[in-house]
Amino acid sequence: MLPLADDSLVLSHRLGEWAGHAPVLEEELALANIALDLLGQARALYAELGEEDELAFLREERAFRNCQLAEQPGGDFAHTMVRQLYFSAWQELLYAQLAELGQPLAAKAVKESEYHRDHAEHWTLRLGDGTEESHARAQRAADSLWRFTGELFEPIAGPGPVGEVDWDALRTGWTERITRTFERATLTVPESPQEGAWKAGAGRQGIHTEPFGRMLAEMQHLHRSHPGASW
Amino acid sequence: MTSVLLGEGTQGSAEPVESVAAFDSAIAADERIEPRDWMPDDYRRTLVRQMAQHAHSEIIGMQPEANWITRAPSLRRKAILMAKVQDEAGHGLYLYSAAETLGTSREELLDKLHSGRQKYSSIFNYPTLTWADVGAIGWLVDGAAITNQVPLCRCSYGPYARAMIRICKEESFHQRQGFELLLALSRGTEAQHAMAQDSVDRWWWPSLMMFGPPDDESSHSARSMEWKIKRHSNDELRQRFVDICVPQAEALGLTLPDPGLRWNESRGHWDFGPIDWEEFKQVLQGNGPCNEERITRRRQAHEDGAWVRDAAAAYAAKHAARGRGKVQERTETAVDTAVSA
């Protein structure tokens, strides 16, 4: 479950970067709310694996197993919303399977990711079918983040329910969902390859994109400056 | 809303005698004034100014704390800080809504904030330089805010009083979390203890300034107290705050940076040293350490978000038009059916 914990931690951090920058007050609340849910998921999953702060603050870039999608910088609001849509639609379907397979933490996460997906979906509709500018920005976000979505369907090895996930069904369900949303949003589903240059390695193997190292440097700096301290 | 709009234009001269009497007797009887009630223009203006300034403070106040979200040293602290900043956005929303009951709008108020025509609390012009500052803001800044705001729960204007009841509950929670953060640092390593002390040294005086100028220089105080918007004077509240903080600092194992601080048996209060009112004046005039940065950041967020708000509005308009189209279609179908039948 380490890859899933890392996904939630890293995306939560990225959303936390929006605090004080959101386009409307309501989104300050929504983005912080989603970030908090994700952080809660990460903490619950880390608790099963070891000491949460050790896992979050003392591993280096190559030891993180999150997907590259989660670590992508927020960009403009359209990038943040499309990133969220791609991720939450996937997380909702994955956690639904995990819940059925008996993963105890998944049931709560399904409800949360459903809310996150719904929120991102509504914004994708507003941006895609809003003004000419918002449409262009949403399409650009959809296109530029597309190459990070293939990784979501690389099977995650592991003992327990995650080893039994039907990844093909996940891909089919996800593709249907995104296609339907994009249609309603008057957006085009990208035709470029879903796999980036990092298909062989990618985040699940600890191969990350460049912005991730800087993200970790900021996130871990204070904790690492005071070895052994409690907070 | 009609009565609100009527109230707006009367400018004192045409005040209906019965309305004035009803207002005065409601204030005297400690009853609440509600949005549809008649109220003096100055009462309305004072409230809009105060509530807007209060709302703006919540919004600008997110910045010094958000500054540490991405660097919080543990996941537990990070979650607490995120929740707090989220609460502040929520408080801003309550307060803008409450102000809107007086016939203004959130857009108008934000515009005044962005153009510098309305103020926010001077405290948020100080920088958060270390993690401990997050704790000092919780303990001292939120502590001062609560001392100021608890009496507002009994303010004569109903919507403001009700907003404050909710806000104060959450604020006291934040205040305890801030105290607990500092306590952990104070009892931690030597470096952590020093970080906590340095932070209290920097935030103590600015927190005392949050209560506003001394009573003899406070221009709005007397009338606000007559109208029961305000219940206690600036100096009274400041004294109350000092009296609360001294034993708390002791419990924290930290000192307050005031050599003049001593118990005064005859007054039954703590005496404290003089406040640097020149610094206060400078910060209020826009010359504090972060004034420029805070307002620029806020304006930037608003400007960067313009295309998003435009998109939402365009989408809503299209959707409403389509919705009307559908209703019309259905009506026409119904009419067609009725005609052909």
Side-chain angles (χ1 to χ4, degrees), chain B residues 106-153:
Chain B
R106 198 209 298 185
E107 289 68 32
E108 193 182 329
L109 298 177
L110 279 175
D111 191 51
K112 285 184 178 154
L113 169 66
H114 297 156
S115 59
R117 280 174 294 154
Q118 281 180 344
K119 291 190 182 345
Y120 55 87
S121 176
S122 61
I123 193 82
F124 300 118
N125 292 312
Y126 290 86
T128 46
L129 303 176
T130 70
W131 169 251
D133 290 9
V134 171
I137 289 184
W139 176 45
L140 294 173
V141 175
D142 293 341
I146 294 164
T147 309
N148 252 327
Q149 290 169 10
V150 163
L152 285 173
C153 297

Side-chain angles (χ1 to χ4, degrees), chain B residues 58-80:
Chain B
E58 298 282 356
I59 302 310
I60 297 283
M62 293 166 69
Q63 287 185 33
E65 297 183 284
N67 185 35
W68 282 91
I69 286 181
T70 54
R71 293 178 288 169
S74 75
L75 296 187
R76 175 171 166 266
R77 293 292 178 196
K78 187 171 178 151
I80 290 173

Side-chain angles (χ1 to χ4, degrees), chain A residues 13 21 23-26 28-29 33 36 43 53 123 129-130 133-134 137 218-219 222-223 230-231, chain B residues 59 62 70-71 73-79 86 93 106 131 192 297 305 307-309 311 318 322:
Chain A
H13 185 95
H21 295 275
V24 278
L25 281 177
E26 284 79 356
E28 293 283 359
L29 280 161
N33 203 304
L36 260 177
R43 295 181 69 194
D53 286 341
W123 272 110
D129 194 16
E133 181 184 5
S134 70
R137 284 177 184 258
E218 184 174 353
M219 185 176 99
L222 180 58
H223 186 95
S230 31
W231 300 93
Chain B
I59 302 310
M62 293 166 69
T70 54
R71 293 178 288 169
S74 75
L75 296 187
R76 175 171 166 266
R77 293 292 178 196
K78 187 171 178 151
Q86 184 187 358
L93 282 177
R106 198 209 298 185
W131 169 251
Q192 286 177 308
R297 158 81 83 85
W307 69 272
V308 176
R309 295 190 300 275
K318 278 187 218 179
R322 275 175 218 158

Side-chain angles (χ1 to χ4, degrees), chain B residues 272-292:
Chain B
F272 53 97
I275 289 171
D276 182 353
W277 292 115
E278 183 50 33
E279 174 179 323
F280 180 67
K281 216 160 61 187
Q282 287 298 325
V283 176
L284 275 193
Q285 283 171 4
N287 304 319
C290 299
N291 297 59
E292 182 58 33

Side-chain angles (χ1 to χ4, degrees), chain B residues 130-185:
Chain B
T130 70
W131 169 251
D133 290 9
V134 171
I137 289 184
W139 176 45
L140 294 173
V141 175
D142 293 341
I146 294 164
T147 309
N148 252 327
Q149 290 169 10
V150 163
L152 285 173
C153 297
R154 293 184 296 127
C155 154
S156 59
Y157 188 57
Y160 194 21
R162 289 188 289 273
M164 291 321 304
I165 291 171
R166 263 186 93 166
I167 290 173
C168 283
K169 275 185 201 153
E170 292 179 349
E171 293 287 8
S172 357
F173 192 58
H174 298 160
Q175 198 258 353
R176 282 201 298 277
Q177 287 170 330
F179 182 88
E180 195 251 337
L181 190 162
L182 286 178
L183 191 63
L185 294 181

